[in-house]
Amino acid sequence: MGGPQNVGGKAATSVLMRFINSPTGPRTTHFWGPVANWGFALAGLVDMKKPADMVSSRMTAALCVYSLLFMRFALRVQPRNLILFSCHAANEVVQLYQFQRSLGGYDYFAGKKMAEEATARK
């Protein structure tokens, strides 16, 4: 009766140990670097609540280019680092949204165009 449970437990432990000891596991910088890079995406999400005139279009454009370059790098480097790719893909989406807001685009969370908000403040 205890056989299938033990086999499942060993399988789960084996999968966990394979992840821990993998070339992109938590014992390497291939894991902790991308974890730290999630801070860019999270900061961009927090900035969505700020007025669009506080968003720097130059810095946002630089972050867009940075994320695109590192998305490609994450797929080309050996071992392929999908954790790094996912954090830069998320950051790319967030920064593109911020970039269009900084240029007077539509703010989907506020439900209005940023140009309308700028004229309403004056």
Side-chain angles (χ1 to χ4, degrees), residues 17-97:
M17 290 309 294
R18 272 188 287 158
F19 169 68
I20 289 172
N21 294 321
S22 75
T24 57
R27 292 184 178 185
T28 67
T29 57
H30 292 284
F31 178 81
W32 292 108
V35 168
N37 274 322
W38 274 103
F40 290 128
L42 294 175
L45 287 171
V46 170
D47 285 347
M48 285 184 190
K49 294 185 177 186
K50 293 181 180 176
D53 56 350
M54 291 185 68
V55 177
S56 168
S57 57
R58 288 184 179 182
M59 186 63 199
T60 304
L63 283 170
C64 286
V65 171
Y66 163 80
S67 286
L68 277 175
L69 290 173
F70 273 89
M71 281 169 52
R72 183 178 186 282
F73 171 79
L75 294 178
R76 302 289 294 179
V77 70
Q78 293 298 323
R80 184 172 292 162
N81 196 332
L82 296 179
I83 302 169
L84 183 65
F85 178 81
S86 67
C87 77
H88 283 295
N91 188 43
E92 183 68 22
V93 170
V94 168
Q95 296 305 326
L96 284 173
Y97 177 75

